[in-house]
Amino acid sequence: MTELEQVRHRLEELGLQRASELLDARLKAAQNNQSTYLAFLGDLLDAELSERKRRNLEVRTKLARLPYRKSLDEFDFSFQPSLDARFIRELATMAFVQRNENLIFLGPPGVGKTHLAVAMAIEAIAKGLSVYFVSLTHLIEDLRKAYEENRLDKRLRIYVRPRILVIDEVGYLPLDSLAANLFFQVVSARYERGSILLTSNKSFGEWGELLGDPILATAVLDRLLHHSHVINIRGNSYRLREKMKSGAYGGSSESE
Ligand code: ADP
Ligand code: MG
């Protein structure tokens, strides 16, 4: 075994995988550039560190179970003039999460609620915060099963533990009384302990009907809204705009 191979193996044994892969190339570069020993070592360790950070970010992003990945930069604010872009960017600093406040996006289908929720989640993960993303339908299904199997308390922890819980698509389906109760339990367990980021196509006035119980709806909203930012998006559907552009959606005279 050559000396180079031996060093490479030691790096691997130490778990410095990336440094091991790069050793040969960086060594040659250092020789060519007549770098100092210190500069060579610093360079190799930097490469290892940045790979670890990348991997860590990837693992934490996977754990968040985002439905897709879209950033704030990919959001076209000019299409949604009712939105205050500066305020959204301010929220993206995640100061509201440090204060355990909630963030709620309201609006009709296609206006970018899920996109913004995902973008916020990505910003949060990049800042080292834990995130878990779930649709309300899935949340209820999951907790209902746990309830039936007598392990609700344990399962609730999945939704209480992360720094931010994203609950997407509140309002598409009405909830029966067990579902409404499970939803209440999640909101209640997180109250003043961790942020909820929620999206809904229903105004708060419609939540009584949605939860099938106006008193329970009041209890949920009371906790949810106590420390919160509510953002109403009143614009047009971005999905339909794309259809209109491609000509698949007739009957509109929108000009561009
Ligand atoms: P909602 O959750 O409000 O129903 P989505 O966030 O799922 O809507 O948006 C629908 C699609 O349109 C997604 O692919 C999203 O990325 C895109 N989209 C919506 N609004 C915008 C926007 N202002 N700029 C760029 N893409 C947008
Ligand atoms: Mg959505």
Side-chain angles (χ1 to χ4, degrees), residues 155-187:
R155 195 63 197 164
L156 266 172
R157 280 185 229 149
I158 299 276
Y159 303 104
V160 176
R161 207 185 297 129
R163 208 69 174 72
I164 302 178
L165 177 69
V166 184
I167 307 178
D168 195 28
E169 299 193 339
V170 173
Y172 282 110
L173 295 173
L175 308 183
D176 62 29
S177 78
L178 177 59
N181 201 283
L182 292 169
F183 182 36
F184 170 74
Q185 288 203 42
V186 171
V187 171

Side-chain angles (χ1 to χ4, degrees), residues 238 240-249 254 256:
Y238 197 85
L240 290 184
R241 162 201 138 113
E242 297 203 314
K243 287 230 168 63
M244 282 183 234
K245 262 201 206 156
S246 68
Y249 185 82
E254 195 192 54
E256 266 186 278

Side-chain angles (χ1 to χ4, degrees), residues 65-70 112-116 118 122 239:
R65 309 271 187 116
L66 304 178
Y68 52 75
R69 294 190 193 181
K70 283 199 181 175
K113 301 182 298 296
T114 301
H115 183 142
L116 286 172
V118 165
I122 288 174
R239 286 194 195 99

Side-chain angles (χ1 to χ4, degrees), residues 124-161:
I125 295 164
K127 290 189 164 61
L129 301 168
S130 57
V131 177
Y132 195 77
F133 188 110
V134 68
S135 70
L136 182 63
T137 308
H138 186 89
L139 173 81
I140 296 300
E141 248 173 50
D142 185 48
L143 290 181
R144 191 193 295 277
K145 190 155 167 280
Y147 174 78
E148 281 160 5
E149 291 167 4
N150 242 328
R151 51 182 182 84
L152 180 61
D153 281 352
K154 193 156 172 245
R155 195 63 197 164
L156 266 172
R157 280 185 229 149
I158 299 276
Y159 303 104
V160 176
R161 207 185 297 129

Side-chain angles (χ1 to χ4, degrees), residues 67-123:
Y68 52 75
R69 294 190 193 181
K70 283 199 181 175
S71 67
L72 213 49
D73 286 340
E74 288 170 84
F75 194 84
D76 178 4
F77 283 97
S78 69
F79 185 74
Q80 233 35 279
S82 73
L83 268 180
D84 181 349
R86 213 183 47 158
F87 185 54
I88 301 287
R89 294 210 178 88
E90 156 68 27
L91 289 168
T93 65
M94 297 297 141
F96 78 98
V97 176
Q98 307 301 343
R99 297 189 295 260
N100 292 329
E101 293 162 355
N102 299 327
L103 173 58
I104 298 164
F105 291 111
L106 299 179
V111 293
K113 301 182 298 296
T114 301
H115 183 142
L116 286 172
V118 165
M120 286 292 168
I122 288 174
E123 294 288 332

Side-chain angles (χ1 to χ4, degrees), residues 87 102-106 204 224-225 228-232:
F87 185 54
N102 299 327
L103 173 58
I104 298 164
F105 291 111
L106 299 179
F204 297 130
L224 200 59
L225 301 180
S228 69
H229 305 273
V230 179
I231 293 177
N232 259 294

